[in-house]
Amino acid sequence: MKVAVLGAGAIGAYVGASLSRAGADVHLVARGPHLAALRERGVQVRSPRGDFAAHPNATDDPAEIGPVDHVFLGFKANAYAAAGPMVAPLLHERTTIIAAQNGIPWWYFHELAGPYEGHRIESVDPGGAVTRALPLHRALGCVVYAATEIESPGVVRHLEGTRFSIGEPDMSISARCTEFADAMVAGGLKCPVERDLRCDIWIKLMGNIAFNPLSALTRATMAGICRHAGTRALVAQMMEETLEVAHRLGCRPEISVEKRLAGAERTGEHKTSTLQDLERGRPMELDVLLTAVVELADLTGAEVPTLRAITAVADLLNQQVAAAS
């Protein structure tokens, strides 16, 4: 099995190293000092589950790799629309594209039976640009329950979690899903193939949609947001509104708001990826986390006043970040 990892950062390099030690033919696409370190020393993983090293091929040019069986996307969803030229050299007739993204994916309504089948979500796939770059028939969903960070170039610190749930948009248990999952498991990861991955998407999104923008607006950690009575109540309201949208789309995640809050609080003094982006002066990944759910509320007639208010102020902050960069 041949795999290319585009965006071999913290998550991408961790997945690539795990697949490589399982015997897959892995190619990492990275740049800068991180790429130089990957070429020289491979991926060095530091983990409470045991350190290990792997030496997959590393390059900054996907054309050097050629067609692969699976493309794993390790960069953020706001870069997908421009990914076409990087992805194109990697494709053969049956290549899959596995997007390890947070939030609502561009393929959400692809092959989803019901009144919205085939609907394009503008905030996620503006003008169809993401679909053109990442064809729908190649998409496999992936929900990441692992936390990693780049400790130094070429060195990945695995903090917690090893689960990468995957699934087909049409809710089948396909051979291509099973092939990738088996390789992930052989590499020491958990990779359940879910029939209804969309419920996993909503469960994770319940946290992201609230904590990510609020952390950027307040500069607080997840535990800090939970400890403050006012923001804790705000998070709960945002989660309730998010669940209402999910229910109207036919998905009923089996988790309560209080349980989701408790899980977030246990994470401790953790800075969300959105807050980290803000601190580094990078555009924040808000469209797939927040704007998309407001758009889906409009589609389904759900009332989401809190989500609308947070979207407005977070979007203004994002515009200011972009103007300053």
Side-chain angles (χ1 to χ4, degrees):
M1 187 180 79
K2 187 175 180 181
V3 180
V5 178
L6 293 184
I11 285 292
Y14 179 57
V15 167
S18 299
L19 289 171
S20 182
R21 72 171 177 169
D25 179 13
V26 177
H27 301 259
L28 307 179
V29 179
R31 59 187 180 183
H34 187 53
L35 172 60
L38 293 173
R39 283 172 163 165
E40 182 180 350
R41 300 185 299 276
V43 184
Q44 311 294 313
V45 176
R46 306 286 180 257
S47 171
R49 303 175 71 243
D51 299 346
F52 69 94
H55 296 79
N57 179 65
T59 181
D60 59 359
D61 183 4
E64 294 179 357
I65 301 170
V68 301
D69 300 306
H70 303 282
V71 176
F72 185 89
L73 300 183
F75 46 70
K76 292 190 176 180
N78 52 14
Y80 287 178
M86 295 181 69
V87 171
L90 303 171
L91 303 180
H92 61 55
E93 184 179 341
R94 295 177 304 281
T95 303
T96 69
I97 297 173
I98 301 164
Q101 72 163 97
N102 288 323
I104 302 295
W106 81 102
W107 54 262
Y108 190 89
F109 290 113
H110 177 56
E111 297 192 332
L112 178 63
Y116 307 116
E117 183 173 5
H119 177 81
R120 179 173 58 80
I121 307 169
E122 178 65 23
S123 53
V124 170
D125 187 10
V130 176
T131 294
R132 288 191 294 273
L134 310 174
L136 290 168
H137 72 280
R138 298 185 180 276
L140 296 182
C142 179
V143 179
V144 178
Y145 296 94
T148 58
E149 62 185 18
I150 297 293
E151 190 168 274
S152 60
V155 180
V156 175
R157 173 67 62 181
H158 171 232
L159 303 172
E160 62 176 358
T162 60
R163 180 155 64 100
F164 294 76
S165 297
I166 64 172
E168 287 278 1
D170 69 358
M171 303 174 70
S172 66
I173 304 296
S174 67
R176 62 185 191 172
C177 262
T178 302
E179 177 189 58
F180 186 78
D182 287 348
M184 293 279 277
V185 171
L189 303 177
K190 297 176 182 177
C191 192
V193 179
E194 304 286 358
R195 283 198 179 275
D196 190 358
L197 190 71
R198 291 175 180 87
C199 276
D200 282 61
I201 288 170
W202 285 104
I203 288 171
K204 187 167 186 190
L205 182 56
M206 284 172 67
N208 289 143
I209 200 170
F211 288 103
N212 286 55
L214 289 179
S215 68
L217 292 165
T218 65
R219 308 302 199 273
T221 63
M222 291 176 66
I225 292 169
C226 289
R227 282 194 301 267
H228 186 274
T231 51
R232 187 184 186 94
L234 187 58
V235 166
Q237 182 59 35
M238 294 175 75
M239 288 184 177
E240 292 285 4
E241 292 179 7
T242 301
L243 282 174
E244 176 62 21
V245 177
H247 293 167
R248 288 176 180 242
L249 290 172
C251 188
R252 306 193 74 85
E254 296 181 359
I255 190 168
S256 69
V257 167
E258 275 307 313
K259 185 174 181 180
R260 194 67 182 84
L261 266 167
E265 191 167 14
R266 284 194 300 272
T267 303
E269 305 306 327
H270 171 70
K271 290 184 178 182
T272 70
S273 59
T274 303
L275 176 54
Q276 292 178 50
D277 284 342
L278 178 66
E279 291 178 339
R280 293 166 183 161
R282 297 174 181 170
M284 296 179 291
E285 186 186 35
L286 296 176
D287 287 343
V288 296
L289 297 181
L290 189 55
T291 312
V293 179
V294 173
E295 183 178 339
L296 292 175
D298 290 337
L299 181 68
T300 60
E303 296 293 331
V304 291
T306 313
L307 294 180
R308 289 186 193 281
I310 298 300
T311 298
V313 292
D315 184 60
L316 177 56
L317 177 59
N318 216 14
Q319 288 181 27
Q320 291 175 316
V321 171
S325 62

